[in-house]
Every structure is written in structure tokens, then in C-alpha cells.
Amino acid sequence: MVGDQWYDINGVWTGSATFLPDGSLIMLYTGSTNESVQVQNLAYPANPSDHLLRKWVKYEGNPVLVPPPGIAKKDFRDPTTAWTTPEGKWRITIGSKVNKTGISLVYDTVDFKNFELLEGVLHGVPGTGMWECVDFYPVSKVAENGLDTSENGPAVKHVLKSSLDDDRNDYYALGTYDALNGKWVPDNPTIDVGIGLRYDYGNFYASKTFYDQEKKRRVLWAWIKETDSEAADICKGWASLQPIPRTIKFDKKTGSNIITWPVAEVETLRSNRVEFDKVKVNPGSIVPLEVGSAAQLDIMAEFEVDQKVLERIDGSNGTYDCINSGGSAERGAFGPFGLLVLTDNGLSEQTPIYFYIAKDAKGNFNTFFCNDLTRSSEASDVHRLMYGSTVPVLQGEKLTLRTLVDHSIVESFAQGGRTAITSRVYPTKAIYEDAKLYLFNNATDISITATLKIWQMDSANIQST
């Protein structure tokens, strides 16, 4: 859609589609008016038989929603997909804030043209600032498949997600939804929306999910911003990308987080599999993996650490900070160790993805999953960041990692997708045939054993018709 009306002339922003019972489709989207007021508008597909839905017709009565009293004109955006209420109405939530408290407003409707604002909010968290691209959906506690947005019941948890305008990260929390009153309560207030878990601990923002009713799954889309200069973006003529779509499931093993994982269709791009079985990597060493060009890869890796050594060595510090540490070059007793992707022959450019195990004085372990971009490029206009967080590792589990490498995008998933990190990198030497892959172990006290399956990845054939 193009901003061509007074109610969206300054921007056609995030919207969400909803399937109606008769199979028709409607879209609610945010428009920025000629006076820069954020309003919600209604649109219909111009040709419902066009499976790409390339043209839309805007409702003649737009806007259908304007900021309510007490909400600033620029703090009212990004309506969700609608779900049904016990009374048979449709319900949506919209992101906003009051002072520094991020909130999600709740509206009911029967026709998507007239709306009723419910008292209070779906949820709010002090200190989190403006909530945008709010998402709200159910996940099953027992089944593997995804759920339609209107599903509810005792076997269901509800995910509330917000993109925080203040720090440009996507946060979520699991909780319980009270459909009668239009309220949501987090399972654990200490990791509430905006102060706890994230979909992805790297370059990943403004995400939205949809329910794929054909394959019974919930699919996550997002945005990867550029971290080089504006001048470089102007020179190449475009900016920003999307990560690989991901499925979302409830983690039945931990019961406290979701799992994100690349959609199965990505595996159709695999070719030329190479396997490495039980490769030992000693402390302070690097092992090359001969896979040809490492510019487009799908990597599945398992890492084993000698538990006897972990138990024998005394612990001193049970925590670690991926972002403020010395990165992959800072050596500890039990880490870092993992992969060097998009690395040139001279190791001058490298993008490490790694685990770090911390042990406190009482013998408790914490595992961290990190991505270090400080040596990812020799370009002068690139922000070289470090990303990461903890990852839950249950008793008896090996450390597992999947990484998708696509020239300048690296998407990594630890422990089956409990923690994910996406990076935008700008290699100047580690490109095409000169991109190489290595195992590394910069721990001081442990050796690791790695088993890997690695595929070359073909380019997707995108059909536009």
C-alpha cells in the first residue's frame, strides 16, 4: 500500500491481517496523517484470488481508530491480528505508552469499523517505554503444532511480545490470558515483557507472527537493520533485510521459554553434505573444516565437554557477560569455544559463535551463548558489536548449535532454539570462495569434542508470479 490519503500520507506502517469466518481477509494498519497523528485504518484485498495480495482497497470511512484520551498522537501504532472473545466479538491490541510505562491497549469490534476501548490495558510494564509491533498469540503446552490466534484453554499459554522503541529489541513473556476481562498476567514478573526474555539476542527487530493454517504452525518474521554507515547504504542502493522465517513452539522441557527454529522449507536448499565426527579441539587451538566455500552454509554441531574435568576444577565466577566481555579472545577455564564463520585464510576477518560455561564457588553452572563481531570486517564504517545471553541447558544435554550463514547474515540457534542470535556482518576478505570455516577452543582448562553436519546452501528460487 502507498500513503496517498490524508490519514496515511506521512507513512503506511505496520499492520496485521485477519481471516474472517467466511474466508475473506481484512487488514488493519497504522497510518501517519497529514498532521503526523498515528491512526488505524482498514483495507481489503482488491483481488482476493491474487495469492500475493499485491493490491489493496482502503475503506472509505478511514481512520477507524484515533488515539484515545491520555495517549499522545505519536504513541498509538501497530494493531495485531484479531482474535475472538467469549462474546463472539473480535479483539485486537495496539502498542502505546503512558509516560515511561509501555502498554498494550485493547479494543473489541464486530465489524472492524466501530471499536470499543476496554477499561485498563492488556498489560503494561513500567520503565519499558513505547511498545511497538505488539504481538499476542497462544502456544500449546502439550502439542507440537501451532495454534490459531483465537485458541485458549487449560493446555494453552499466551505469549505477549513487544518491540521496545527505546532499545530496539524484541522482548516476550509467557503468561495467562483472562479472556473475559481482556487481561494478561506473566508467569514470572521478574522476566516480564521488556525486562526478560528476547526472541533473538542479536540484530532482530519489529517482528510479527502469523498462523499458517495449512501447515498448522506459527511463523515469525522480523527485520534486520544495517550496522554500517548511511553513506554505504546509499551507495549500494538499498538497506535492511529479513531473517529466515522461524517457527515458534513452547519449550515443554523447560516450561519457561519458547523455541524458535528456521522453517522446514530452508532444508530444501541443502546440498553437498559433509560430516565431521568427534573432532577434538584442545585448549587454545583452531581446527579448519574443509567444506569449500563457507559463504552459504547450514551447520549443525554438537559439542561435548568432559564432565569430570568440569566437576574437578573449582569455580570462582558463575556469571559472564557476552556483550561487555573481551569476546572470543578472552580466555576462561571453560570457554569460549565454538565456530569461526565467515573467516579468511589469515584469520584477520572472523565471526565467532560460541559457548562459554561459567561455574560459581558452589559448583553451579551457567552456560552462555555469544556472537562476537569485533573482528568480522576490516571495513572502516561498521559497528562491530557483541551479542548474547544465557541458554538453558538441562541435565544430560549436549551443547548443540545450528548456524545459517548467508554471505552477510549469520543466524544461530543454541539448544534447539532456546536462544537465538542474528548478526549482520560486512566481510571484505572472507567472501565467496575465500570464506572459510573453523572450530576454535579458547578455554584454558578443557578440551572439546565436536560432531558436525554441514551443508552447502543453494540460493532460493523466488517466484514473483
Side-chain angles (χ1 to χ4, degrees):
M1 283 187 285
V2 176
D4 56 7
Q5 303 295 318
W6 70 267
Y7 51 76
D8 62 10
I9 194 66
N10 280 318
V12 173
W13 294 348
T14 300
S16 298
T18 300
F19 273 111
L20 304 182
D22 64 1
S24 62
L25 186 71
I26 65 94
M27 175 79 77
L28 289 174
Y29 72 93
T30 298
S32 180
T33 74
N34 55 349
E35 296 182 350
S36 296
V37 179
Q38 293 172 12
V39 298
Q40 313 313 316
N41 303 305
L42 175 63
Y44 307 93
N47 179 11
S49 63
D50 175 12
H51 67 283
L52 295 179
L53 300 174
R54 284 168 286 197
K55 293 184 179 180
W56 293 79
V57 175
K58 299 172 184 178
Y59 170 53
E60 61 184 9
N62 281 336
V64 295
L65 279 171
V66 299
I71 298 299
K73 68 178 186 178
K74 294 185 178 182
D75 297 334
F76 183 64
R77 57 185 178 267
D78 309 337
T80 62
T81 294
W83 66 95
T84 54
T85 71
E87 297 83 11
K89 298 179 181 180
W90 290 101
R91 180 168 289 169
I92 64 168
T93 186
I94 297 174
S96 187
K97 69 174 181 177
V98 175
N99 298 321
K100 288 295 291 181
T101 296
I103 61 173
S104 48
L105 300 164
V106 184
Y107 289 87
D108 283 357
T109 183
V110 294
D111 58 6
F112 294 94
K113 300 172 184 176
N114 303 282
F115 290 82
E116 173 192 359
L117 175 62
L118 271 61
E119 184 177 351
V121 297
L122 179 69
H123 192 58
V125 181
T128 55
M130 178 65 196
W131 285 12
E132 54 183 8
C133 298
V134 171
D135 206 359
F136 186 67
Y137 56 89
V139 289
S140 174
K141 295 191 291 183
V142 295
E144 287 295 310
N145 58 282
L147 298 177
D148 179 85
T149 310
S150 294
E151 289 284 340
N152 200 1
V156 169
K157 287 284 184 188
H158 272 80
V159 176
L160 178 59
K161 168 262 169 184
S162 176
S163 302
L164 294 197
D165 196 26
D166 284 1
D167 71 4
R168 314 297 279 182
N169 291 310
D170 280 17
Y171 294 84
Y172 78 92
L174 290 161
T176 301
Y177 170 53
D178 177 357
L180 290 176
N181 296 302
K183 308 294 182 186
W184 176 89
V185 178
D187 288 348
N188 182 352
T190 65
I191 50 172
D192 206 340
V193 181
I195 59 174
L197 302 173
R198 285 165 50 182
Y199 278 165
D200 188 295
Y201 289 86
N203 186 343
F204 190 95
Y205 192 64
S207 63
K208 297 285 282 186
T209 68
F210 71 91
Y211 176 63
D212 178 354
Q213 55 192 359
E214 298 299 319
K215 296 189 175 181
K216 308 296 187 225
R217 60 184 179 176
R218 183 156 291 274
V219 179
L220 172 68
W221 294 88
W223 169 61
I224 301 172
K225 67 181 180 181
E226 301 291 351
T227 53
D228 62 350
S229 67
E230 182 178 346
D233 296 340
I234 293 172
C235 181
K236 67 176 183 278
W238 57 272
S240 302
L241 308 96
Q242 288 185 307
I244 295 294
R246 304 174 187 180
T247 57
I248 288 182
K249 297 179 181 179
F250 177 70
D251 189 344
K252 295 193 291 290
K253 292 182 178 179
T254 65
S256 58
N257 56 272
I258 60 171
I259 288 173
T260 67
W261 195 250
V263 293
E265 287 84 347
V266 174
E267 296 173 20
T268 65
L269 303 177
R270 289 172 169 175
S271 65
N272 301 327
R273 186 175 77 180
V274 179
E275 297 190 15
F276 299 88
D277 187 46
K278 296 188 181 303
V279 179
K280 186 175 182 181
V281 188
N282 293 316
S285 63
I286 295 174
V287 176
L289 298 173
E290 298 299 333
V291 297
S293 171
Q296 289 185 191
L297 297 177
D298 188 351
I299 307 165
M300 301 282 285
E302 289 185 348
F303 298 94
E304 296 182 71
V305 180
D306 190 331
Q307 291 296 317
K308 293 181 180 179
V309 175
L310 288 177
E311 298 294 339
R312 185 178 71 246
I313 297 176
D314 292 335
S316 59
N317 188 357
T319 189
Y320 178 75
D321 188 338
C322 294
I323 297 172
N324 296 308
S325 70
S328 60
E330 181 178 309
R331 305 187 68 180
F334 309 132
F337 59 85
L339 300 173
L340 301 180
V341 303
L342 296 177
T343 301
D344 71 314
N345 278 319
L347 304 180
S348 60
E349 286 188 341
Q350 55 180 265
T351 299
I353 305 148
Y354 60 91
F355 292 99
Y356 189 104
I357 302 172
K359 181 181 181 182
D360 66 19
K362 295 181 179 180
N364 301 310
F365 292 96
N366 286 309
T367 302
F368 297 81
F369 181 53
C370 314
N371 191 188
D372 179 0
L373 306 188
T374 56
R375 290 172 288 171
S376 62
S377 175
E378 292 194 352
S380 61
D381 61 347
V382 172
H383 295 288
R384 299 173 185 83
L385 306 172
M386 291 191 287
Y387 301 124
S389 183
T390 57
V391 57
V393 180
L394 304 184
Q395 185 68 34
E397 288 185 341
K398 295 179 182 179
L399 296 178
T400 63
L401 167 65
R402 182 181 183 183
T403 293
L404 298 173
V405 180
D406 189 8
H407 293 280
S408 65
I409 302 295
V410 180
E411 300 181 55
S412 301
F413 306 84
Q415 300 309 107
R418 288 179 189 145
T419 300
I421 303 174
T422 298
S423 296
R424 174 80 163 104
V425 295
Y426 303 86
T428 61
K429 295 180 177 179
I431 58 176
Y432 303 110
E433 297 300 322
D434 292 327
K436 306 301 178 183
L437 177 66
Y438 298 82
L439 288 166
F440 84 98
N441 178 14
N442 223 11
T444 59
D445 291 18
I446 57 168
S447 296
I448 62 165
T449 302
T451 298
L452 306 98
K453 295 180 181 178
I454 304 169
W455 293 264
Q456 292 287 335
M457 296 295 281
D458 298 328
S459 296
N461 181 19
I462 305 299
Q463 299 292 331
S464 61
T465 58

